[in-house]
Amino acid sequence: MIQRTATRIEARPIDHADHSWQRLLSESVTTPDALLRRLDLDPTTWLHGADKGHRLFPIRVPEPYLSRIARGDPDDPLLRQVLPFSSEAETYPGFVSDPLQESGSMPATGLIRKYDSRALLMVTGQCAINCRYCFRRHFPYEDHRLSPEDRAQALKALSDDTRINEVIFSGGDPLVANDRLLSAWLRHWQPSHTSAG
Ligand code: SF4
């Protein structure tokens, strides 16, 4: 039985003048060891499983999120969203690594098309935080990194098909892409609906 003696840490106010969100993301915790030490969790209990899960899908936790997790509480729900477990390596009947069946619906690099009127653009493979439950944790982002030629091809595929009236910026988290890239997409593609998801 776990004795719950955890202390919730008051979220520290972020000084936006000194800490741009890009800097906060670059300083994220990205190793199991650092995550456990930061949260006063016993490595002899948690490190083996965390290492195993981390090798399948890496840890990424930025400070503003970290500062809201209770120290010393392995059951904190915020921690459970980011702490890997060895059970992530287990296989189950019926498990599929592409639950949304996206891999068969990619007419061009970085473009997912499952519906006539809607397309989804993989703007970036990066996220501010890596969630253990992510349904795209197996997505081959490396194969869908968009070169300038890929971008031109994706734009052409979108522009040529008049049935498409909505393009969803996705990833990863499209809002961690740099502003110049996002505005370039928006400049070239102005459908009736463009959203982020
Ligand atoms: S795509 Fe969404 S669910 Fe997956 S890791 Fe990124 S933020 Fe989390």
Side-chain angles (χ1 to χ4, degrees):
M1 182 177 152
I2 295 163
Q3 199 179 359
R4 296 178 70 93
T5 55
T7 44
R8 186 164 290 283
I9 307 164
E10 282 302 310
R12 279 186 247 145
I14 303 296
D15 180 349
H16 291 284
D18 296 326
H19 295 89
S20 70
W21 61 268
Q22 290 96 334
R23 181 169 167 198
L24 287 169
L25 295 191
S26 74
E27 293 172 350
S28 293
V29 165
T30 54
T31 66
D33 182 55
L35 180 64
L36 298 179
R37 268 191 287 113
R38 178 73 165 68
L39 296 172
D40 296 338
L41 291 169
D42 182 2
T44 56
T45 306
W46 302 103
L47 189 56
H48 173 72
D51 267 338
K52 204 165 173 182
H54 170 68
R55 282 196 291 275
L56 298 170
F57 185 54
I59 284 177
R60 170 168 294 279
V61 193
E63 177 60 34
Y65 186 93
L66 199 55
S67 69
R68 289 167 171 81
I69 300 175
R71 279 194 169 140
D73 183 0
D75 292 329
D76 186 301
L78 295 179
L79 174 69
R80 288 303 180 117
Q81 183 170 329
V82 295
L83 178 65
F85 284 88
S86 57
S87 55
E88 293 175 26
E90 293 170 7
T91 53
Y92 294 89
F95 173 83
V96 290
S97 59
D98 180 19
L100 300 184
Q101 300 181 326
E102 294 177 325
S103 59
S105 311
M106 303 196 68
T109 302
L111 201 60
I112 297 178
R113 180 80 184 281
K114 292 169 71 177
Y115 306 99
D116 281 348
S117 62
R118 182 182 301 161
L120 190 145
L121 198 57
M122 305 300 279
V123 175
T124 174
Q126 296 292 312
C127 291
I129 183 168
N130 282 356
C131 316
R132 304 319 300 173
Y133 54 73
C134 180
F135 59 76
R136 287 211 183 108
R137 57 185 287 160
H138 301 283
F139 190 87
Y141 287 110
E142 282 304 312
D143 299 342
H144 289 277
R145 194 179 291 227
L146 290 164
S147 67
E149 294 75 31
D150 294 330
R151 279 204 286 278
Q153 271 187 6
L155 273 170
K156 182 161 173 18
L158 292 171
S159 306
D160 284 354
D161 193 332
T162 52
R163 293 172 302 169
I164 297 177
N165 60 27
E166 181 178 13
V167 176
I168 299 171
F169 287 0
S170 190
D173 179 348
L175 295 183
V176 305
N178 74 53
D179 291 350
R180 267 179 299 132
L181 181 64
L182 288 174
S183 62
W185 278 115
L186 289 168
R187 255 200 321 279
H188 287 100
W189 173 250
Q190 297 283 350
S192 50
H193 302 288
T194 306
S195 52

